[in-house]
Amino acid sequence: MTNDLDDLFERLRLAKAPAEIEALQDGIWQLWLTTGDQQLDKHLEEGIRALSAGDYTQAISLFTHLIEAQPSFAEGWNKRATAYYLRGEYRASLLDVTETLRREPRHFGALAGWATMLRMLGDQRGSLHVLRRLERLCPNLPGLPEQIRNLEDELE
């Protein structure tokens, strides 16, 4: 899986067309959303359904089970970070984003979420730093150059 992931990330870094970028990100998500354990994959799916239904407490519970069963699985941390974020628990979300990035430093979803939370919390400089990290992964991500420019303008 690592070689496939490395290849997809290299292609993502070079991609210019929005449709190509989206397709590559989708391919990466497909790899990220597999635990390698059928039972844990079911927990992940249930958690995603709970998240979509707005049942953040249930989603957090399911993702916590997943994290306890397989702590090295970055996407369990990322999904729980998302549930905490949607529930307005930014501190808990930021802690889980940190754990996600410890396991998968290239996690563009976690980086984008981190940048958004930092900006919401008034840390424009921190948000810009994270967006520049995201830019190294995918320089042509639609909307990213504008976000960076806007933050740079705010900080001048």
Side-chain angles (χ1 to χ4, degrees):
M1 178 170 98
T2 303
N3 287 342
D4 291 343
L5 209 46
D6 291 343
D7 177 56
L8 287 168
F9 270 105
E10 180 57 24
R11 290 170 51 202
L12 181 63
R13 192 178 60 75
L14 301 172
K16 293 193 179 351
E20 181 185 9
I21 291 168
E22 186 178 344
L24 289 165
Q25 286 181 323
D26 287 348
I28 291 167
W29 279 112
Q30 289 306 311
L31 294 174
W32 280 345
L33 288 167
T34 305
T35 65
D37 177 299
Q38 202 170 15
Q39 198 57 43
L40 292 179
D41 283 347
K42 285 183 182 172
H43 262 84
L44 180 60
E45 289 169 22
E46 287 174 34
I48 292 169
R49 276 197 300 277
L51 199 56
S52 295
D55 188 350
Y56 307 131
T57 302
Q58 177 66 11
I60 289 166
S61 174
L62 288 160
F63 297 138
T64 298
H65 173 80
L66 184 59
I67 289 165
E68 289 169 353
Q70 198 174 83
S72 63
F73 182 61
E75 196 53 31
W77 294 96
N78 183 60
K79 289 293 187 244
R80 191 172 74 176
T82 301
Y84 279 134
Y85 170 81
L86 291 170
R87 198 158 80 174
E89 295 182 40
Y90 303 129
R91 183 169 160 68
S93 182
L94 287 168
L95 290 171
D96 279 0
V97 164
T98 301
E99 293 299 326
T100 303
L101 293 169
R102 184 174 293 152
R103 288 153 180 80
E104 175 49 86
R106 303 170 297 186
H107 200 297
F108 47 78
L111 288 168
W114 188 17
T116 298
M117 282 187 280
L118 289 174
R119 193 163 189 180
M120 287 172 55
L121 296 169
D123 184 0
Q124 271 47 353
R125 195 165 303 288
S127 182
L128 180 59
H129 175 75
V130 173
L131 289 177
R132 286 200 173 121
R133 192 168 154 187
L134 183 57
E135 183 182 39
R136 287 192 293 277
L137 292 174
C138 185
N140 300 302
L141 186 65
L144 183 60
E146 295 82 1
Q147 286 182 58
I148 290 172
R149 242 188 335 275
N150 289 342
L151 277 172
E152 288 171 341
D153 290 347
E154 282 179 40
L155 290 168
E156 283 181 5

